[in-house]
Amino acid sequence: MKRFICLLLAGLLCTSLAGCAKTYRGTQALVQKAREEIPIAEADTIELAYAGMSVRGEQALAWFISGNAYQAHYYLPMEVTCKGEDQYTYVRTYKTADDVLDIAVLHWNDGYAFCVNNPACVCVRITDAAGVYEREIAPGAHPYVFYWPSQLTSYEFLDAGGDTLGTS
């Protein structure tokens, strides 16, 4: 009987702790969490910047960029749950494909999340079942983060002359 009561109490304790995820307040707190999650050797010393957030309901991808102008960049999308104004709980991180264009794309939450950090990219041309759309990026708006809430047929990254920087 004692054993049953101990197991019951242990189960109740585990159940009560399951809903106690840490809440991060503000993007600076998320930067510190990203430092813990980023899979690079210099995680505690490398420059790490918050790039923006792709939001879909209560779920969001907080994008982080490591490195500076003289280093290669690593793009870390970190999924969080929005718990209130500027309050988040960590869910998990993702790995994007290696992008030499300083552009990262992630198929996420039934759509696509983009982080465009290439100043030469002034437009993202998106093709889905409903048609072709162009998402223009203003000068100085990089890194530019956005979410496209549908399945894509293709996407292209265009420079000021309309030439393709890269495609899917």
Side-chain angles (χ1 to χ4, degrees):
M1 185 69 173
K2 280 185 177 180
R3 186 176 191 160
F4 174 75
I5 291 174
C6 287
L7 288 174
L8 180 65
L9 289 175
L12 288 173
L13 179 63
C14 288
T15 304
S16 67
L17 290 177
C20 296
K22 182 177 178 180
T23 299
Y24 296 91
R25 289 175 170 71
T27 56
Q28 275 308 109
L30 287 178
V31 168
Q32 292 309 312
K33 178 61 178 168
R35 238 179 235 298
E36 295 171 13
E37 298 298 324
I38 196 165
I40 58 176
E42 311 84 23
D44 28 337
T45 58
I46 198 163
E47 287 184 36
L48 187 62
Y50 169 74
M53 201 169 284
S54 302
V55 180
R56 173 86 188 223
E58 290 184 358
Q59 296 304 112
L61 274 184
W63 286 91
F64 300 91
I65 303 171
S66 73
N68 59 33
Y70 307 104
Q71 297 171 314
H73 297 298
Y74 185 93
Y75 294 88
L76 179 73
M78 189 168 77
E79 185 173 348
V80 296
T81 302
C82 303
K83 292 295 187 183
E85 188 167 328
D86 215 20
Q87 295 183 19
Y88 314 94
T89 56
Y90 169 78
V91 178
R92 68 175 164 241
T93 59
Y94 293 90
K95 180 169 175 41
T96 63
D98 293 333
D99 291 300
V100 295
L101 297 173
D102 276 332
I103 298 170
V105 180
L106 181 67
H107 182 248
W108 174 75
N109 211 357
D110 296 324
Y112 286 80
F114 293 83
C115 180
V116 180
N117 193 35
N118 184 336
C121 182
V122 299
C123 181
V124 180
R125 182 179 294 147
I126 294 171
T127 305
D128 66 12
V132 178
Y133 307 90
E134 291 191 351
R135 187 80 179 242
E136 295 194 19
I137 304 171
H142 298 84
Y144 184 74
V145 172
F146 71 98
Y147 176 73
W148 194 263
S150 67
Q151 294 299 312
L152 303 181
T153 305
S154 66
Y155 50 84
E156 298 175 90
F157 304 104
L158 307 174
D159 66 14
D163 295 322
T164 301
L165 296 169
T167 62
S168 69

